[in-house]
Every structure is written in structure tokens, then in C-alpha cells.
Amino acid sequence: MAILAALISGAGWLLGPSFAQEAPAPGAGEPPKVEAPAAAPAAEVKKEDPGAAPAQFTQGLLDQIGGAKVAADTMWTLIAGMLVFFMNLGFASVESGLCRAKNAVTILAKNFVVFAASSIAFLVLGWGLMFSDGNPFFGTQGLWFVGGADNSPAMGDAYKGVYSSINWTGVPLWTKFFFQLVFAGTAATIVSGAVAERIKFGSFYIFSFLMVGIIYPIVGHWIWGGGWLAKFGMFDFAGSTVVHSVGGWAALAGAIALGPRLGKFSRDGTVHPIPGHSISLATLGVFVLWFGWFGFNPGSTMAADAGAIGRIAVATNTAAAAAAIAASITAWLLLGKPDLTMILNGALAGLVAITAPCAFVSISSSLIIGLIAGVLVVLSVLFFDKIKVDDPVGAISVHLVCGVFGTFAVGLFAQAEFTPNTTGNGLFFGGGMGLLLAQLAGIVGVGIFVFVISMIFWQIIKGTLGIRVSAEEEMEGLDIGEHGNVAYPDFVSRSSIT
């Protein structure tokens, strides 16, 4: 017993004084009485339950929360805009890869300089025409150099400035400008591919300024700037019409004004394919574009909206994947082979088509939209060849045809649950014809305006500076004639016309 008592006593010593007091050694009688400390006053003993009452928000706390949201939204919008800027590399790679080596320098130069021209044109005038307060057709206040009154990131009724059409996003003014600039540059870049291998560099340069300074922002004001189409009830979340169809209509006008490349069509209507020089470069370009579209569509929230950006990204990806598969099967059936250029353009067609409805439709609907776009783009390429409109890279089929379809798809597949108080339901979900008719009005109105004014600009340039290089220069290659340079100096061509 003495040994057991010693062990217990030792254990109590090891475990600390508090344990030793609670467990006295056996046989020691009652534990010694310890004087309890005097009870604290009731006011000191009582502790408030932190969950019993809501936290009291001070102005300082509200400012901190608001500042953190502005910072997060700004960072997300800028990163998304940078992804869209990166798409310039994709366009340059696709266009140069699908065209001949002798024209690679001029195509790369056009894709490089078009963003520079877009940056200046949008800064000087385009932003003001597009987003400033004015009439239903174009902005009239704060037109020049983004110089109007503005108190962004204030939103809604708190906004006091002349760019009220974009006061729905709580980011600073220059963040808004940058994100919208990269979209404007994308619209101008679309034209480059359709007029490739026969246009004068200087003429394209001038048209790019006109495109981004006048044509694009006027249409943008109609839809995104609170203009007549917005009031009519048309919706285009990320730009199937504002960006892609506008670029497509301008490209169609340019391709018609220029005429086809030498050797593309025989007098009897036979189509002679003119293969590009690097399908690897074209494939790389499409991957870059697909990647950039994850900034294009989810970024159009212009806010780090956790409930929307992931779903929009998945809808975007699903449409692209479905369209690539549909295009491969369609080409296989119609051409006998699953042509890689058709597959590449199929993926782009799905991306263009889902751009307008990406925030308004379900993932399953995005799958259907992509499948339809993949079929459409193959049929469209064959159609434009048949009517002798020469588009070296398929830009018109991808951006115009599938941009029109994507805009129309909003009226068919939109569901009110995804973006309440916006589109309502489309035709296929019980919404009737109202939304569909508004989308159709936008398609027709934009198409007529952009095609007509683009053709006027092309014809003015054609009648003054000229828009097409000489036949000799076209046969030799525009790189030598336009730039005095070649992309592949160590290559030796077997023929001057290949």
C-alpha cells in the first residue's frame, strides 16, 4: 500500500498541482480545505454571447469591406482583360499559319499593328462614342480621351458621371477602359484574316482606325451603351454581335471589295484550295484563342462573381468542345476526311456562338449551341467558296455566321434563373417570341449598318489610296513588296506563285 501511495503521489506531482489537489493520496482523510477566492461582482462574471446580437458595422468596417471588393473585382477584370489581349497572339498565329509563307510577315505585321491602332482610336474617340451618355445611337458627352466626369467605382445611383451605361460594375474607370479596349481590338483583328494575302498594308491600317474609332463603338453604344437595341430588349453578354458579328460584317465587305486571290477560283467556278504554310502554327493559335476565351466570357462579369464565372467558363468550354467534334464529323461526311482546319474553325465557331448566351443558358444548352455551331461553320465555309467570296482563314464563317447564330441562340435557350431580371426565358423555355424578336432586330440592324458603312469606307479607301496590291506583288508575295522582308529567309520556294 505504501508503494501504491507513493506511485499515485508521484503521478500527481508529474501531472501538475491542479491534479494533485483534486486527487489526494488514499488514507489522508478529507482534502485540505482551500479558501475559495471571493466571488467577482456579477457585472464582471457575466460574459456576452457573441452570437446573441448582430455585429455592429462601423463606417470604417464597411469601407474596408467595400475596398476589398473593389480590389478583387479590379484584379479579376484586369487579369481577364490580359487574357483577351493575349488572344492577339492566337489570331496572328492562326492567320499566318493558314496563309502562305510568302505573306507571313505582312500578316503578322497587320495583327501587331491593329492593336496599336485600336488602342489609340478607342482612347481618342471610341470609348466616348460607345459608353458616354448621349442619344440612342451614339454617346455625346466626354467623347475625347476618356475625359468626361466620372466617380467610378461608385455604382448605380451613387455614380455621378457621364459614363452611366457602365456604372453596373464597381471598378475604377481605367480598368473599365482597358477591358473594353481589348474587346475593340478583337473586333478589328477579325477583319485581317478575311482580307489576307492581297490587301495593302496601309489601307488596312487606315480601316482599323475607322473600325475602332467609329463603326465598333457606335454598335457598342446601341447594345452595351444603353442605346436603342438595349432599350428594345436585346442581350449580348460578351459580344457575339458587338465584337464578332461586327468584325465579320466588316470583313465580308472587305473581302467583296478586294475580290478573290489570284488562282482561287476558275472561270467555271471550280474552287482551288490554297493551303497554308504551317498547320502547326494555326493549331497553336487556336489553343491560345481557346485559352483567352476564358477571359473573354467569364471576364465580362467585370466582377469576381463567384456564382457566375465558373459556370460561364464551363459553358464556354463545353460549346467549344462540342463544336470541334461536330465540325470534324460534318467535314468527314461532306469532304471524306476530318479536315483539321475545319476542326480548328469548329472550336472557334463554338466559342463565338456561346459568347452572347454564356451567362444566360445552362451547360446542357451550351452543348447544343456548340454542336449546331460546329455544323454551321463547315457549311458556311463551303457556301462562301461557292459564291466566290475568298476568305483565306474562314473568319467570316466563324465570326459572322456563328456570331449571328449565338445572338439568335439567346432568344431560344435563355433561362431567367441564371441572371434574374435580365433576359427572361427564351422560346424553348416558355418565354415566347419577345426575346427572340429583339435578338433578331439586333442582328438585322447591326448587319445593315456595319456592312453598308464598312463598304463605304472600303470604297473610299479604294478610290483614293487603293486597297489591293498589284498582281505581280501578289504572286511574288506581299512580304517583299509591302515590307521588304521575308519570314523564312533560309527557305527556297519551288515556284513564285506557291
Side-chain angles (χ1 to χ4, degrees):
M1 291 296 293
I3 295 174
L4 180 60
L7 288 174
I8 293 174
S9 176
W13 177 79
L14 288 172
L15 292 174
S18 62
F19 184 71
Q21 289 178 3
E22 293 174 6
E30 292 185 6
K33 294 182 179 179
V34 179
E35 290 287 331
E44 295 180 12
V45 173
K46 185 179 180 180
K47 294 182 179 179
E48 292 186 1
D49 181 359
Q56 298 299 312
F57 282 94
T58 65
Q59 186 60 47
L61 183 57
L62 288 173
D63 290 343
Q64 287 182 353
I65 294 173
K69 177 169 173 53
V70 170
D73 291 347
T74 299
M75 185 61 69
W76 162 248
T77 303
L78 286 174
I79 291 172
M82 292 170 194
L83 285 175
V84 179
F85 169 80
F86 190 55
M87 291 171 69
N88 286 286
L89 172 62
F91 282 115
S93 300
V94 170
E95 291 175 23
S96 58
L98 292 180
C99 292
R100 291 166 289 185
K102 65 183 183 181
N103 299 314
V105 169
T106 191
I107 290 170
L108 293 172
K110 284 190 301 170
N111 277 272
F112 199 91
V113 81
V114 72
F115 188 76
S118 299
S119 297
I120 302 304
F122 201 63
L123 174 67
V124 172
L125 180 61
W127 166 271
L129 283 176
M130 188 164 177
F131 289 109
S132 75
D133 298 338
N135 57 55
F137 301 100
F138 50 85
T140 60
Q141 302 181 41
L143 286 181
W144 304 102
F145 290 93
V146 198
D150 179 83
N151 70 331
S152 300
M155 300 170 64
D157 293 337
Y159 178 79
K160 307 298 179 185
V162 300
Y163 307 116
S164 57
S165 62
I166 198 167
N167 69 6
W168 51 267
T169 175
V171 298
L173 177 62
W174 290 113
T175 300
K176 297 176 184 179
F177 174 84
F178 176 75
F179 189 76
Q180 295 300 328
L181 164 65
V182 293
F183 275 56
T186 299
T189 303
I190 291 166
V191 180
S192 175
V195 300
E197 300 201 292
R198 73 267 201 210
I199 193 171
K200 289 184 175 181
F201 182 75
S203 298
F204 175 77
Y205 212 148
I206 292 172
F207 185 82
S208 297
F209 278 102
L210 296 171
M211 175 80 177
V212 179
I214 300 174
I215 300 173
Y216 173 82
I218 288 177
V219 173
H221 184 80
W222 295 356
I223 301 171
W224 290 347
W228 70 275
L229 283 174
K231 291 179 171 59
F232 196 68
M234 181 194 175
F235 289 89
D236 182 4
F237 183 75
S240 287
T241 284
V242 174
V243 178
H244 297 284
S245 289
V246 167
W249 286 115
L252 177 61
I256 293 172
L258 278 166
R261 291 168 291 174
L262 296 175
K264 176 64 177 178
F265 303 111
S266 297
R267 291 183 178 179
D268 63 0
T270 304
V271 179
H272 300 285
I274 303 178
H277 82 283
S278 178
I279 195 68
S280 300
L281 187 59
T283 303
L284 174 64
V286 173
F287 271 122
V288 171
L289 290 170
W290 194 332
F291 174 65
W293 237 285
F294 295 130
F296 207 101
N297 287 0
S300 291
T301 58
M302 295 185 74
D305 184 346
I309 56 179
R311 181 177 58 82
I312 293 172
V314 173
T316 300
N317 187 72
T318 301
I325 293 170
S328 69
I329 295 172
T330 304
W332 213 333
L333 294 173
L334 297 180
L335 306 175
K337 299 289 183 181
D339 186 282
L340 177 55
T341 62
M342 292 292 190
I343 298 173
L344 297 177
N345 274 336
L348 296 178
L351 291 165
V352 169
I354 199 59
T355 296
C358 59
F360 309 132
V361 301
S362 67
I363 303 302
S364 57
S365 292
S366 72
L367 174 66
I368 298 171
I369 291 169
L371 291 172
I372 296 171
V375 175
L376 275 179
V377 73
V378 176
L379 297 178
S380 178
V381 168
L382 300 177
F383 168 76
F384 282 113
D385 276 348
K386 190 174 183 63
I387 64 173
K388 298 185 180 180
V389 173
D390 185 13
D391 178 1
V393 304
I396 299 169
S397 297
V398 168
H399 298 281
L400 172 55
V401 173
C402 294
V404 166
F405 167 65
T407 305
F408 196 72
V410 174
L412 299 174
F413 295 96
Q415 292 179 252
E417 64 183 278
F418 297 117
T419 49
N421 303 315
T422 55
T423 60
N425 288 324
L427 180 64
F428 292 163
F429 293 90
M433 291 290 294
L435 178 60
L436 190 64
L437 291 175
Q439 299 301 107
L440 183 60
I443 291 167
V444 174
V446 169
I448 293 173
F449 171 77
V450 176
F451 182 79
V452 170
I453 196 164
S454 295
M455 185 60 77
I456 291 172
F457 285 155
W458 284 122
Q459 293 300 331
I460 291 173
I461 298 171
K462 184 177 183 178
T464 53
L465 302 176
I467 58 175
R468 183 160 184 158
V469 301
S470 67
E472 294 75 18
E473 189 174 339
E474 185 176 343
M475 292 179 68
E476 182 182 28
L478 276 65
D479 289 359
I480 296 295
E482 290 282 293
H483 298 278
N485 201 350
V486 290
Y488 306 101
D490 296 330
F491 287 11
V492 178
S493 299
R494 290 182 298 173
S495 168
S496 62
I497 61 172
T498 59

